């Protein structure tokens, strides 16, 4: 079955700097890769997703890249701000009949 | 429109008792998911419904856990003979189609087994 590994588990960056979180997956049939943000005490919310027919997607300060050959994808946050502090989860999913697997999460802290 | 709702928001139960957790998905969403999140931990997949059927139940931790969905809408997660290690936040999510679409999460039910 699918296995998703996420690194690092914790990340601290200076406000204004960039943050990168990386995930690898095992099932080559996976074709959907969402990223969720969970603020303290709140529910996870989708911030960006990418499908396997695209190599990169950007939304303002957030971008995701996908390397299908190497089976890894990354989240990039530029010009980090205090409100970016949260836990970020990557995930990988195959067909609609297969279960989605989440990474273990990255706790991102933005230092003022 | 209304988002995903879950009830109760908090549940404290004694070890050995049964509990039922309820999830009301977004109207029209065919897919529904249950996850478990222990304090400071990640999202543990439990079960996924497409309509009323569950293509994958392999995430359920033991046979004490079961879930059903009726009418393609409301779902209940039942934990029998609760144990202390069952204490966690149980999150429900729904999506418009399958696993390759955005999931909308509910606020969760915090279960504490004493």
């Amino acid at each position: 079955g699918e296995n998703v590994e996420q690194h690092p588990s914790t990340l601290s960056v200076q406000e204004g700097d960039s943050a990168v979180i990386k995930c690898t997956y095992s099932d080559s049939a996976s074709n959907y890769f969402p990223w969720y943000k969970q603020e303290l005490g709140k529910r996870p919310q989708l911030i960006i997703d990418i499908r396997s027919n695209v190599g990169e997607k950007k939304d303002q300060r957030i971008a995701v890249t996908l390397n299908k050959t190497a089976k890894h994808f990354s989240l990039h946050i530029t010009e980090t701000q205090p409100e970016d502090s949260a836990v970020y989860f990557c995930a990988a999913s195959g067909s609609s009949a297969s279960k989605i697997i989440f990474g273990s999460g990255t706790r991102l802290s933005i230092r003022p | 429109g209304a988002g995903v709702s879950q009830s109760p928001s908090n549940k404290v139960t004694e070890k050995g008792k049964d509990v039922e957790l309820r999830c009301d998905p977004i109207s029209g969403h065919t897919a529904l998911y249950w996850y478990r999140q222990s304090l400071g931990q990640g999202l543990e997949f439990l079960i996924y419904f497409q309509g009323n059927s569950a293509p994958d139940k392999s995430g359920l931790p033991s046979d004490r856990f079961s879930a059903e969905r009726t009418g393609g809408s409301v779902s209940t997660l039942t934990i029998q003979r609760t144990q202390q290690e069952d204490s966690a936040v149980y999150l429900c999510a729904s999506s418009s189609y399958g696993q390759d679409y955005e999931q909308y999460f509910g606020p969760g039910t915090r279960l504490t087994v004493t």
Side-chain angles (χ1 to χ4, degrees), chain B residues 57-90:
Chain B
K57 302 180 182 179
S58 62
L60 295 176
S62 73
D63 58 8
R64 296 187 295 105
F65 287 72
S66 63
E68 65 175 15
R69 188 180 186 194
T70 55
S73 181
V74 172
S75 176
T76 54
L77 176 69
T78 302
I79 309 173
Q80 296 178 311
R81 306 181 302 282
T82 52
Q83 304 294 312
Q84 288 187 330
E85 59 263 29
D86 298 335
S87 297
V89 174
Y90 289 81

mmCIF file of all heavy atoms in Angstrom, chain B residues 57-90:
data_model
loop_
_atom_site.group_PDB
_atom_site.id
_atom_site.type_symbol
_atom_site.label_atom_id
_atom_site.label_comp_id
_atom_site.label_asym_id
_atom_site.label_seq_id
_atom_site.Cartn_x
_atom_site.Cartn_y
_atom_site.Cartn_z
ATOM 1 N N LYS B 57 -11.683 -0.534 4.737
ATOM 2 C CA LYS B 57 -11.860 -0.496 6.190
ATOM 3 C C LYS B 57 -10.568 -0.855 6.898
ATOM 4 O O LYS B 57 -10.558 -1.036 8.124
ATOM 5 C CB LYS B 57 -12.942 -1.485 6.627
ATOM 6 C CG LYS B 57 -14.307 -1.258 6.003
ATOM 7 C CD LYS B 57 -15.301 -2.293 6.498
ATOM 8 C CE LYS B 57 -16.665 -2.110 5.848
ATOM 9 N NZ LYS B 57 -17.635 -3.124 6.317
ATOM 10 N N SER B 58 -9.491 -0.938 6.151
ATOM 11 C CA SER B 58 -8.248 -1.478 6.720
ATOM 12 C C SER B 58 -7.639 -0.586 7.789
ATOM 13 O O SER B 58 -6.790 -1.026 8.555
ATOM 14 C CB SER B 58 -7.227 -1.722 5.609
ATOM 15 O OG SER B 58 -6.888 -0.504 4.976
ATOM 16 N N GLY B 59 -8.076 0.687 7.857
ATOM 17 C CA GLY B 59 -7.520 1.593 8.847
ATOM 18 C C GLY B 59 -8.115 1.456 10.235
ATOM 19 O O GLY B 59 -7.584 2.000 11.201
ATOM 20 N N LEU B 60 -9.212 0.736 10.351
ATOM 21 C CA LEU B 60 -9.825 0.565 11.675
ATOM 22 C C LEU B 60 -8.853 -0.200 12.568
ATOM 23 O O LEU B 60 -8.407 -1.291 12.215
ATOM 24 C CB LEU B 60 -11.151 -0.171 11.554
ATOM 25 C CG LEU B 60 -12.252 0.580 10.789
ATOM 26 C CD1 LEU B 60 -13.493 -0.275 10.637
ATOM 27 C CD2 LEU B 60 -12.586 1.895 11.487
ATOM 28 N N PRO B 61 -8.540 0.332 13.772
ATOM 29 C CA PRO B 61 -7.483 -0.232 14.616
ATOM 30 C C PRO B 61 -7.771 -1.640 15.128
ATOM 31 O O PRO B 61 -6.841 -2.421 15.339
ATOM 32 C CB PRO B 61 -7.379 0.752 15.773
ATOM 33 C CG PRO B 61 -8.044 1.997 15.314
ATOM 34 C CD PRO B 61 -9.097 1.586 14.343
ATOM 35 N N SER B 62 -9.036 -1.931 15.380
ATOM 36 C CA SER B 62 -9.385 -3.256 15.903
ATOM 37 C C SER B 62 -10.856 -3.516 15.625
ATOM 38 O O SER B 62 -11.560 -2.643 15.113
ATOM 39 C CB SER B 62 -9.125 -3.309 17.414
ATOM 40 O OG SER B 62 -10.115 -2.563 18.116
ATOM 41 N N ASP B 63 -11.300 -4.720 15.959
ATOM 42 C CA ASP B 63 -12.708 -5.049 15.702
ATOM 43 C C ASP B 63 -13.645 -4.348 16.691
ATOM 44 O O ASP B 63 -14.867 -4.518 16.605
ATOM 45 C CB ASP B 63 -12.923 -6.562 15.716
ATOM 46 C CG ASP B 63 -12.497 -7.206 17.023
ATOM 47 O OD1 ASP B 63 -12.183 -6.464 17.980
ATOM 48 O OD2 ASP B 63 -12.476 -8.434 17.085
ATOM 49 N N ARG B 64 -13.089 -3.571 17.611
ATOM 50 C CA ARG B 64 -13.953 -2.776 18.502
ATOM 51 C C ARG B 64 -14.480 -1.536 17.781
ATOM 52 O O ARG B 64 -15.414 -0.899 18.254
ATOM 53 C CB ARG B 64 -13.176 -2.342 19.744
ATOM 54 C CG ARG B 64 -12.707 -3.489 20.636
ATOM 55 C CD ARG B 64 -12.085 -2.961 21.926
ATOM 56 N NE ARG B 64 -10.852 -2.206 21.700
ATOM 57 C CZ ARG B 64 -10.759 -0.892 21.777
ATOM 58 N NH1 ARG B 64 -11.822 -0.150 22.082
ATOM 59 N NH2 ARG B 64 -9.597 -0.291 21.577
ATOM 60 N N PHE B 65 -13.844 -1.219 16.662
ATOM 61 C CA PHE B 65 -14.235 -0.034 15.894
ATOM 62 C C PHE B 65 -15.119 -0.452 14.717
ATOM 63 O O PHE B 65 -14.788 -1.402 13.990
ATOM 64 C CB PHE B 65 -12.999 0.686 15.340
ATOM 65 C CG PHE B 65 -12.195 1.419 16.366
ATOM 66 C CD1 PHE B 65 -11.425 0.722 17.296
ATOM 67 C CD2 PHE B 65 -12.181 2.802 16.405
ATOM 68 C CE1 PHE B 65 -10.669 1.399 18.247
ATOM 69 C CE2 PHE B 65 -11.435 3.483 17.350
ATOM 70 C CZ PHE B 65 -10.680 2.788 18.269
ATOM 71 N N SER B 66 -16.197 0.277 14.514
ATOM 72 C CA SER B 66 -17.036 0.046 13.347
ATOM 73 C C SER B 66 -17.640 1.368 12.926
ATOM 74 O O SER B 66 -17.717 2.320 13.719
ATOM 75 C CB SER B 66 -18.132 -0.983 13.640
ATOM 76 O OG SER B 66 -19.001 -0.504 14.650
ATOM 77 N N ALA B 67 -18.058 1.436 11.681
ATOM 78 C CA ALA B 67 -18.678 2.673 11.187
ATOM 79 C C ALA B 67 -19.727 2.309 10.173
ATOM 80 O O ALA B 67 -19.629 1.283 9.489
ATOM 81 C CB ALA B 67 -17.631 3.592 10.570
ATOM 82 N N GLU B 68 -20.733 3.145 10.106
ATOM 83 C CA GLU B 68 -21.747 2.967 9.089
ATOM 84 C C GLU B 68 -22.187 4.326 8.562
ATOM 85 O O GLU B 68 -22.000 5.359 9.218
ATOM 86 C CB GLU B 68 -22.943 2.190 9.626
ATOM 87 C CG GLU B 68 -23.718 2.886 10.724
ATOM 88 C CD GLU B 68 -24.972 2.088 11.114
ATOM 89 O OE1 GLU B 68 -25.079 0.909 10.761
ATOM 90 O OE2 GLU B 68 -25.835 2.690 11.768
ATOM 91 N N ARG B 69 -22.752 4.268 7.380
ATOM 92 C CA ARG B 69 -23.280 5.480 6.766
ATOM 93 C C ARG B 69 -24.594 5.106 6.104
ATOM 94 O O ARG B 69 -24.666 4.121 5.358
ATOM 95 C CB ARG B 69 -22.306 6.028 5.724
ATOM 96 C CG ARG B 69 -22.713 7.392 5.193
ATOM 97 C CD ARG B 69 -21.733 7.892 4.162
ATOM 98 N NE ARG B 69 -22.060 9.259 3.765
ATOM 99 C CZ ARG B 69 -21.545 9.855 2.691
ATOM 100 N NH1 ARG B 69 -20.694 9.204 1.912
ATOM 101 N NH2 ARG B 69 -21.878 11.089 2.401
ATOM 102 N N THR B 70 -25.601 5.865 6.401
ATOM 103 C CA THR B 70 -26.918 5.559 5.861
ATOM 104 C C THR B 70 -27.429 6.720 5.022
ATOM 105 O O THR B 70 -27.142 7.893 5.320
ATOM 106 C CB THR B 70 -27.923 5.270 6.996
ATOM 107 O OG1 THR B 70 -27.924 6.396 7.892
ATOM 108 C CG2 THR B 70 -27.521 4.016 7.754
ATOM 109 N N GLY B 71 -28.138 6.375 3.973
ATOM 110 C CA GLY B 71 -28.732 7.407 3.114
ATOM 111 C C GLY B 71 -27.701 8.268 2.415
ATOM 112 O O GLY B 71 -28.028 9.357 1.939
ATOM 113 N N GLY B 72 -26.467 7.776 2.370
ATOM 114 C CA GLY B 72 -25.424 8.549 1.716
ATOM 115 C C GLY B 72 -25.115 9.858 2.411
ATOM 116 O O GLY B 72 -24.511 10.755 1.816
ATOM 117 N N SER B 73 -25.498 9.951 3.688
ATOM 118 C CA SER B 73 -25.290 11.209 4.386
ATOM 119 C C SER B 73 -24.599 10.979 5.725
ATOM 120 O O SER B 73 -23.405 10.733 5.770
ATOM 121 C CB SER B 73 -26.619 11.929 4.558
ATOM 122 O OG SER B 73 -26.449 13.167 5.218
ATOM 123 N N VAL B 74 -25.361 10.966 6.796
ATOM 124 C CA VAL B 74 -24.811 10.897 8.153
ATOM 125 C C VAL B 74 -24.036 9.595 8.363
ATOM 126 O O VAL B 74 -24.425 8.537 7.876
ATOM 127 C CB VAL B 74 -25.946 11.006 9.184
ATOM 128 C CG1 VAL B 74 -25.435 10.747 10.592
ATOM 129 C CG2 VAL B 74 -26.601 12.373 9.085
ATOM 130 N N SER B 75 -22.952 9.719 9.105
ATOM 131 C CA SER B 75 -22.157 8.542 9.456
ATOM 132 C C SER B 75 -21.954 8.496 10.965
ATOM 133 O O SER B 75 -21.879 9.530 11.625
ATOM 134 C CB SER B 75 -20.798 8.578 8.762
ATOM 135 O OG SER B 75 -19.982 7.497 9.171
ATOM 136 N N THR B 76 -21.917 7.289 11.488
ATOM 137 C CA THR B 76 -21.581 7.111 12.903
ATOM 138 C C THR B 76 -20.389 6.183 13.027
ATOM 139 O O THR B 76 -20.291 5.178 12.332
ATOM 140 C CB THR B 76 -22.758 6.530 13.709
ATOM 141 O OG1 THR B 76 -23.192 5.310 13.077
ATOM 142 C CG2 THR B 76 -23.905 7.497 13.757
ATOM 143 N N LEU B 77 -19.488 6.562 13.901
ATOM 144 C CA LEU B 77 -18.332 5.737 14.245
ATOM 145 C C LEU B 77 -18.582 5.214 15.642
ATOM 146 O O LEU B 77 -18.816 6.001 16.567
ATOM 147 C CB LEU B 77 -17.050 6.563 14.197
ATOM 148 C CG LEU B 77 -15.761 5.855 14.621
ATOM 149 C CD1 LEU B 77 -15.365 4.799 13.597
ATOM 150 C CD2 LEU B 77 -14.621 6.872 14.791
ATOM 151 N N THR B 78 -18.581 3.911 15.800
ATOM 152 C CA THR B 78 -18.841 3.285 17.099
ATOM 153 C C THR B 78 -17.579 2.617 17.614
ATOM 154 O O THR B 78 -16.904 1.896 16.877
ATOM 155 C CB THR B 78 -19.970 2.239 16.987
ATOM 156 O OG1 THR B 78 -21.155 2.875 16.491
ATOM 157 C CG2 THR B 78 -20.264 1.622 18.346
ATOM 158 N N ILE B 79 -17.274 2.899 18.862
ATOM 159 C CA ILE B 79 -16.151 2.240 19.519
ATOM 160 C C ILE B 79 -16.720 1.447 20.689
ATOM 161 O O ILE B 79 -17.334 2.020 21.595
ATOM 162 C CB ILE B 79 -15.096 3.242 20.027
ATOM 163 C CG1 ILE B 79 -14.685 4.204 18.899
ATOM 164 C CG2 ILE B 79 -13.868 2.494 20.554
ATOM 165 C CD1 ILE B 79 -13.775 5.330 19.363
ATOM 166 N N GLN B 80 -16.538 0.154 20.642
ATOM 167 C CA GLN B 80 -17.046 -0.701 21.718
ATOM 168 C C GLN B 80 -15.952 -0.941 22.751
ATOM 169 O O GLN B 80 -14.761 -0.969 22.417
ATOM 170 C CB GLN B 80 -17.527 -2.035 21.131
ATOM 171 C CG GLN B 80 -18.709 -1.892 20.187
ATOM 172 C CD GLN B 80 -19.122 -3.229 19.600
ATOM 173 O OE1 GLN B 80 -18.296 -3.976 19.112
ATOM 174 N NE2 GLN B 80 -20.407 -3.524 19.662
ATOM 175 N N ARG B 81 -16.380 -1.132 23.989
ATOM 176 C CA ARG B 81 -15.450 -1.475 25.074
ATOM 177 C C ARG B 81 -14.213 -0.580 25.042
ATOM 178 O O ARG B 81 -13.081 -1.038 24.911
ATOM 179 C CB ARG B 81 -15.048 -2.942 24.962
ATOM 180 C CG ARG B 81 -16.231 -3.913 24.918
ATOM 181 C CD ARG B 81 -15.782 -5.365 24.828
ATOM 182 N NE ARG B 81 -14.949 -5.635 23.656
ATOM 183 C CZ ARG B 81 -15.403 -5.801 22.431
ATOM 184 N NH1 ARG B 81 -16.699 -5.704 22.185
ATOM 185 N NH2 ARG B 81 -14.577 -6.076 21.433
ATOM 186 N N THR B 82 -14.456 0.723 25.147
ATOM 187 C CA THR B 82 -13.380 1.701 24.985
ATOM 188 C C THR B 82 -12.203 1.429 25.916
ATOM 189 O O THR B 82 -12.371 0.962 27.054
ATOM 190 C CB THR B 82 -13.899 3.125 25.229
ATOM 191 O OG1 THR B 82 -14.585 3.165 26.481
ATOM 192 C CG2 THR B 82 -14.823 3.571 24.114
ATOM 193 N N GLN B 83 -11.032 1.736 25.409
ATOM 194 C CA GLN B 83 -9.779 1.620 26.147
ATOM 195 C C GLN B 83 -9.146 3.000 26.258
ATOM 196 O O GLN B 83 -9.450 3.895 25.462
ATOM 197 C CB GLN B 83 -8.830 0.664 25.428
ATOM 198 C CG GLN B 83 -9.404 -0.724 25.191
ATOM 199 C CD GLN B 83 -9.628 -1.462 26.488
ATOM 200 O OE1 GLN B 83 -8.749 -1.493 27.341
ATOM 201 N NE2 GLN B 83 -10.807 -2.056 26.639
ATOM 202 N N GLN B 84 -8.238 3.187 27.183
ATOM 203 C CA GLN B 84 -7.595 4.484 27.366
ATOM 204 C C GLN B 84 -6.840 4.921 26.117
ATOM 205 O O GLN B 84 -6.782 6.122 25.823
ATOM 206 C CB GLN B 84 -6.681 4.463 28.592
ATOM 207 C CG GLN B 84 -7.456 4.434 29.896
ATOM 208 C CD GLN B 84 -6.564 4.592 31.116
ATOM 209 O OE1 GLN B 84 -5.408 4.196 31.091
ATOM 210 N NE2 GLN B 84 -7.115 5.154 32.173
ATOM 211 N N GLU B 85 -6.290 3.971 25.386
ATOM 212 C CA GLU B 85 -5.543 4.339 24.173
ATOM 213 C C GLU B 85 -6.449 4.827 23.043
ATOM 214 O O GLU B 85 -5.957 5.297 22.021
ATOM 215 C CB GLU B 85 -4.699 3.159 23.671
ATOM 216 C CG GLU B 85 -5.483 1.910 23.325
ATOM 217 C CD GLU B 85 -5.487 0.897 24.450
ATOM 218 O OE1 GLU B 85 -5.395 1.305 25.636
ATOM 219 O OE2 GLU B 85 -5.583 -0.312 24.149
ATOM 220 N N ASP B 86 -7.768 4.719 23.243
ATOM 221 C CA ASP B 86 -8.707 5.257 22.250
ATOM 222 C C ASP B 86 -8.854 6.771 22.393
ATOM 223 O O ASP B 86 -9.446 7.424 21.523
ATOM 224 C CB ASP B 86 -10.084 4.608 22.400
ATOM 225 C CG ASP B 86 -10.053 3.107 22.170
ATOM 226 O OD1 ASP B 86 -9.139 2.628 21.456
ATOM 227 O OD2 ASP B 86 -10.941 2.406 22.709
ATOM 228 N N SER B 87 -8.345 7.330 23.474
ATOM 229 C CA SER B 87 -8.455 8.777 23.693
ATOM 230 C C SER B 87 -7.730 9.524 22.579
ATOM 231 O O SER B 87 -6.550 9.283 22.318
ATOM 232 C CB SER B 87 -7.852 9.159 25.053
ATOM 233 O OG SER B 87 -8.560 8.555 26.114
ATOM 234 N N ALA B 88 -8.456 10.411 21.921
ATOM 235 C CA ALA B 88 -7.918 11.153 20.774
ATOM 236 C C ALA B 88 -9.004 12.087 20.276
ATOM 237 O O ALA B 88 -10.137 12.078 20.774
ATOM 238 C CB ALA B 88 -7.491 10.199 19.654
ATOM 239 N N VAL B 89 -8.651 12.867 19.261
ATOM 240 C CA VAL B 89 -9.667 13.644 18.533
ATOM 241 C C VAL B 89 -10.028 12.845 17.290
ATOM 242 O O VAL B 89 -9.151 12.432 16.528
ATOM 243 C CB VAL B 89 -9.145 15.041 18.147
ATOM 244 C CG1 VAL B 89 -10.163 15.760 17.269
ATOM 245 C CG2 VAL B 89 -8.842 15.857 19.396
ATOM 246 N N TYR B 90 -11.312 12.629 17.101
ATOM 247 C CA TYR B 90 -11.797 11.904 15.930
ATOM 248 C C TYR B 90 -12.357 12.921 14.947
ATOM 249 O O TYR B 90 -13.302 13.645 15.239
ATOM 250 C CB TYR B 90 -12.839 10.862 16.328
ATOM 251 C CG TYR B 90 -12.194 9.709 17.083
ATOM 252 C CD1 TYR B 90 -11.906 9.831 18.443
ATOM 253 C CD2 TYR B 90 -11.830 8.542 16.430
ATOM 254 C CE1 TYR B 90 -11.271 8.803 19.130
ATOM 255 C CE2 TYR B 90 -11.205 7.508 17.106
ATOM 256 C CZ TYR B 90 -10.919 7.650 18.457
ATOM 257 O OH TYR B 90 -10.284 6.633 19.120
#
